[in-house]
Amino acid sequence: MKNMAPLIEIKDLHASVDGKEIIKGLSLTINAGEVHALMGPNGAGKSTLSAVVAGREGYEVTGGQVLLNGKDIADMEADERAVAGIFLAFQYPVEIPGVGTTTFLKAAINARRRARGEGEIEPMEFLKLLRAKQKELDIPDEMIKRPVNMGYSGGEKKRAETLQMSMLEPAFCILDETDSGLDIDALKVVSDGVNAMRSPDRGFLVITHYQRLLNYIVPDYVHVFAGGRIVKSGGKELALELEEKGYAEFTEQAA
Amino acid sequence: MAETNAITPAALSDTLPGAGSALPGGQIAWVRHAREEGAKLWQAHGAPTVKVEQWKYTNLREMLKVPFRPARPAHEIGLETIPAGDALTLDAHVLVFVNGHFSAEMSDLDTLPKGVAVSTLATLLETEPHAVEPFIGRLADAADLPFAALNQGALEDGFVVRVKTGTALEKPLHIVQVSAAEDEPTAHQPRNVVVLENGAVATVLESWIGTTSDTPSLRNAVTEIHVAQDAVLTHQILQNLPERAYNVAATAVKVEAKGVYDSFVLQVGGKLSRHDLRVELAGRHAECRLNGAYGASGTQHMDTTSFIDHAVPECTSNEIYKGVLAGKAKGVFQGKILVRREAQQTDGNQLHKALLLERGAEVDTKPELEIYADDVTCSHGATTGELDPVALFYLRSRGIDPETARMLLIEGFLDDVVERIPGEANREAFKEVIHRWQRRQVDTIDPALG
């Protein structure tokens, strides 16, 4: 049954960190099947938006709404949002000593399955899924044997984020500066992984400072984020325009 | 024991045997002397107060108010079952002691291989006193460990394990020690001996458990361990006593040349538990690995005080202890490494890490290096932290509920020390206990810390 509400609807969102307003009336609608790019100068609050949508503590929503499939997520905890289909690929994935990568992946998969009333994943099924995704993203067993993100290079971390995203099959993915710290090979691997996940049932918000990533993950829409709100929207050509002219025009406008 | 806290009679004196008690070995001069000496030292100095440096962080006031009497043996209490589920579970030769006395009915010694002798101290004091004489009071110095003095004053029973030269005990020996509470507060004071002769190899497990009761109990145990040349002892202890139990235990070890003492101690039970662990590295290339973990919640108090004595050159010691504290629990870690003048090329490393799950929890650490040799590699470190909120958010952002996320992080915190437990079955047995402990915590802790 097709849900007629947009996948994600952000309405006049205001959010503060430590009492300082960072997001000042942002509205954005993303339908299933669409890839939106959010571009903007550093320090504009792009990552704040991703944290607010993912439900990180310490980020206060002072106005507006975020709807997932028409449902307000304000009262949902981070894990509830994840189970409901939101996935945030971190700009800086966290190293967690002592927690095995497979233990972690299984716990994340089983959390979703429990929410859907399914039993825990069979060990063989899990292994098969993991192997397939590892191959797709060029992730050696040696990485999987380590604790979560421990000692990974920048590129390995982003590949691991993509692996998680791909195994968890979220409905809405936020890629927060996924291109930062990536060389061109890693960028290609990660982009291929993301592109393989594009589907009519899934939406993406790609947050980036540079146009480069968008050569690989080609967006349907591009938004310019400055001064706490979206100041301009357009098609993929807008990204090229930004690459050429920079953000100066918008930062002045926002200020 | 520099401080004197002379109360007449000293606290806990009722746990000492009265004059004219018919204790095993009472007709033997050295046994009588040991008891008299122990009792005399205890009466002279009394229980240590927080003014005694070694007891600075562990206040015994509440415990000393309890009028403990000597516990009776199991058959007199009528104890037929033990809370075996609290003990470690793994394939082993099982011996059960209740209130310090051997329970033949609950033990299984038939399959012990040749070269391994397990007896009770009470029996040996009657039949072969000369066999234990060299091992009583030699390592656990009654003049230095107040509770060892009290224990020695009540010298009566315990386990004695002897592994003959070159013998390898394949299956672990598991000594389950039950504190059986009675209607009145009772104390028992087991005195244990483990001797590994040259080249012997054995794994000795201890589970300290007890029957649940509203009545407090006190376990004051002393275990003296000799690891002879080339011998390897793996010694693992689970302290999982019920919540009204007090536990004061001293494990004193001597390791001869090329011998190895490898220990792991997990404490999760009891109201107040103090474990003194003393290791003397007495022969070249002797080695000790002292690892441990503890989990405390509510108002539990857990104290690990270790003393590693590098007496000769070229010995190695490695020690890692990790504690997880919830509620208003208090953890204490005091670790001293002494490197004597002649102990050149010593390699000694020590680390204590504590994780505080709630604001009310507390930990006191006192690492101490005392080095008189000049060619040594020694290190020590201590850290105290909370669960990393960023890691917690990361896990939750993947759909993992907060309880499971906390459990993963706590397990992750303990992981490196738990991984040091030799033997997969043993490791799994300890992990199981840790897992159960955690399960109880995450359901009850105040998540205010995130």
Side-chain angles (χ1 to χ4, degrees), chain B residues 39-365:
Chain B
K40 205 170 80 192
L41 280 166
W42 179 262
Q43 296 290 6
H45 300 289
T49 68
V50 290
K51 286 181 189 151
V52 178
E53 186 60 26
Q54 285 298 301
W55 292 82
K56 192 170 155 187
Y57 302 113
T58 293
N59 193 328
L60 298 172
R61 207 171 40 219
E62 290 297 315
M63 181 180 107
L64 297 175
K65 281 185 201 158
V66 182
F68 291 108
R69 302 253 161 207
R72 289 177 298 161
H75 65 268
E76 286 179 31
I77 305 167
L79 182 71
E80 276 160 18
T81 53
I82 56 166
D86 294 339
L88 292 166
T89 11
L90 76 167
D91 188 27
H93 305 285
V94 179
L95 272 80
V96 177
F97 283 75
V98 178
N99 288 344
H101 299 291
F102 182 58
S103 166
E105 311 83 72
M106 298 185 214
S107 302
D108 167 28
L109 282 178
D110 301 341
T111 54
L112 274 182
K114 217 169 149 252
V116 181
V118 178
S119 344
T120 69
L121 179 64
T123 307
L124 290 179
L125 288 178
E126 290 292 334
T127 59
E128 276 183 88
H130 58 277
V132 285
E133 187 185 357
F135 305 110
I136 297 287
R138 301 300 166 91
L139 301 177
D141 185 355
D144 201 26
L145 290 163
F147 281 90
L150 182 65
N151 176 290
Q152 190 175 304
L155 186 69
E156 184 182 359
D157 207 353
F159 61 80
V160 179
V161 176
R162 286 171 295 173
V163 186
K164 299 283 172 212
T165 301
T167 305
L169 178 62
E170 273 179 36
K171 219 159 50 159
L173 189 64
H174 185 187
I175 303 161
V176 179
Q177 296 154 66
V178 188
S179 294
E182 298 177 49
D183 295 338
E184 285 180 311
T186 53
H188 65 283
Q189 313 200 49
R191 184 75 178 207
N192 312 309
V193 174
V194 178
V195 180
L196 263 65
E197 294 180 0
N198 288 354
V201 179
T203 297
V204 173
L205 312 174
E206 295 188 51
S207 288
W208 304 344
I209 59 173
T211 55
T212 306
S213 164
D214 290 337
T215 313
S217 63
L218 167 63
R219 174 182 187 275
N220 175 28
V222 174
T223 305
E224 291 176 282
I225 298 176
H226 290 250
V227 179
Q229 199 171 316
D230 296 309
V232 179
L233 177 64
T234 303
H235 187 201
Q236 297 166 353
I237 299 172
L238 167 65
Q239 187 275 97
N240 195 10
L241 289 159
E243 60 179 336
R244 300 299 302 271
Y246 292 94
N247 178 57
V248 182
T251 305
V253 188
K254 182 174 185 174
V255 190
E256 305 282 3
K258 289 180 274 178
V260 177
Y261 177 70
D262 185 324
S263 81
F264 184 85
V265 181
L266 174 66
Q267 299 210 58
V268 290
K271 183 179 172 67
L272 179 149
S273 180
R274 155 83 169 220
H275 185 221
D276 271 276
L277 180 53
R278 321 187 123 214
V279 180
E280 180 189 348
L281 297 169
R284 280 179 189 243
H285 299 289
E287 183 182 352
C288 71
R289 307 171 198 137
L290 312 181
N291 297 305
Y294 57 93
S297 60
T299 56
Q300 281 182 301
H301 180 107
M302 283 180 203
D303 176 341
T304 299
T305 296
S306 72
F307 174 54
I308 301 169
D309 181 354
H310 282 264
V312 298
E314 297 166 358
C315 292
T316 305
S317 65
N318 279 294
E319 179 175 32
I320 298 185
Y321 267 74
K322 289 198 168 185
V324 179
L325 298 117
K328 292 187 163 60
K330 186 170 166 179
V332 178
F333 180 84
Q334 305 183 99
K336 180 171 173 178
I337 301 177
L338 169 65
V339 181
R340 293 180 192 266
R341 189 180 304 278
E342 55 272 33
Q344 299 293 359
Q345 276 112 48
T346 283
D347 190 347
N349 302 289
Q350 180 189 81
L351 180 66
H352 176 263
K353 283 189 171 187
L355 181 65
L356 305 181
L357 298 180
E358 289 172 284
R359 294 261 181 246
E362 182 187 328
V363 67
D364 291 301
T365 53

Side-chain angles (χ1 to χ4, degrees), chain A residues 51 54-57 77-80 82-83 86-90 93-99 103-104 107-109 111-112 114 148-149 161 164 168, chain B residues 322 353 388-416 419 447-450:
Chain A
R56 186 164 187 161
E57 280 168 29
E77 299 285 339
D79 49 299
E80 295 167 335
V83 166
I86 294 175
F87 183 94
L88 168 63
F90 281 55
V94 185
E95 296 195 354
I96 309 182
V99 178
T103 308
F104 160 67
I109 286 175
R112 269 170 186 67
R114 258 198 307 280
V148 178
N149 295 322
E161 291 290 286
Q164 291 173 29
L168 297 175
Chain B
K322 289 198 168 185
K353 283 189 171 187
D388 178 3
V390 179
L392 205 52
F393 171 64
Y394 187 78
L395 294 175
R396 294 187 68 184
S397 79
R398 298 309 184 237
I400 299 171
D401 63 84
E403 288 76 23
T404 308
R406 277 190 205 99
M407 284 194 58
L408 285 172
L409 292 181
I410 296 168
E411 269 170 9
F413 170 76
L414 295 174
D415 182 71
D416 60 345
E419 286 305 316
L449 269 177

